[in-house]
């Protein structure tokens, strides 16, 4: 991940609604959640949710797929790993490979 993409991801998460959406999707795992269910769970209207989902999608933090007539969203764990790798890139005296076990534990393939 480069600096521009990291800044996009941080900007996307620097909003209370988007952070709530992202955390909800992290909890849901790879099955994700339909947009309507997210709106109901977080007490958001569809327009607000759609705008915030678009920002998270552009930042590479979530992904979507069509499920019949609805769209399901899920956290993009690889995008999250990329952001964490960017943050930890110079850890351990520039030996980022030493931090790889930490990254795997923080963002598991549950």
């Amino acid at each position: 991940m480069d600096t521009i993409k990291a800044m996009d991801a941080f900007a996307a998460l620097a909003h209370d609604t988007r952070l709530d959406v992202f955390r909800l999707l992290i909890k849901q795992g790879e099955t994700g959640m339909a947009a309507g269910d997210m709106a109901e769970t977080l007490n958001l209207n569809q327009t607000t949710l759609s705008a915030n989902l678009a920002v998270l999608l552009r930042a590479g933090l979530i992904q979507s797929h069509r499920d019949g007539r609805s769209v399901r969203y899920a956290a993009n764990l690889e995008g999250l790993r990329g952001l964490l790798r960017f943050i930890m890139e110079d850890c351990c005296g520039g030996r980022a490979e030493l931090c790889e076990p930490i990254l795997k534990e923080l963002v598991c393939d549950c």
Side-chain angles (χ1 to χ4, degrees):
M1 179 172 288
D2 64 22
T3 301
I4 299 297
K5 288 184 181 187
M7 288 176 18
D8 287 344
F10 283 124
L13 293 173
H15 184 276
D16 59 339
T17 301
R18 288 191 293 271
L19 186 57
D20 289 345
V21 168
F22 186 68
R23 291 186 65 179
L24 177 63
L25 291 175
I26 289 286
K27 289 177 191 173
Q28 298 305 309
E30 65 183 34
T31 59
M33 194 172 199
D37 294 336
M38 275 190 284
E40 185 177 317
T41 299
L42 296 173
N43 197 26
L44 297 171
N45 68 50
Q46 288 288 340
T47 304
T48 299
L49 179 62
S50 291
N52 286 291
L53 287 170
V55 173
L56 290 165
L57 279 165
R58 279 192 304 273
L61 294 171
I62 65 171
Q63 53 198 359
S64 66
H65 68 276
R66 187 153 294 285
D67 184 18
R69 292 182 45 177
S70 66
V71 177
R72 292 188 73 81
Y73 294 87
N76 178 358
L77 295 183
E78 195 52 45
L80 179 56
R81 279 189 201 97
L83 182 59
L84 292 172
R85 277 190 194 97
F86 176 82
I87 292 297
M88 299 176 78
E89 181 172 278
D90 295 320
C91 72
C92 302
R95 296 180 59 202
E97 70 277 3
L98 296 176
C99 296
E100 192 63 31
I102 295 169
L103 288 172
K104 286 183 179 178
E105 188 165 326
L106 287 174
V107 187
C108 67
D109 288 321
C110 308

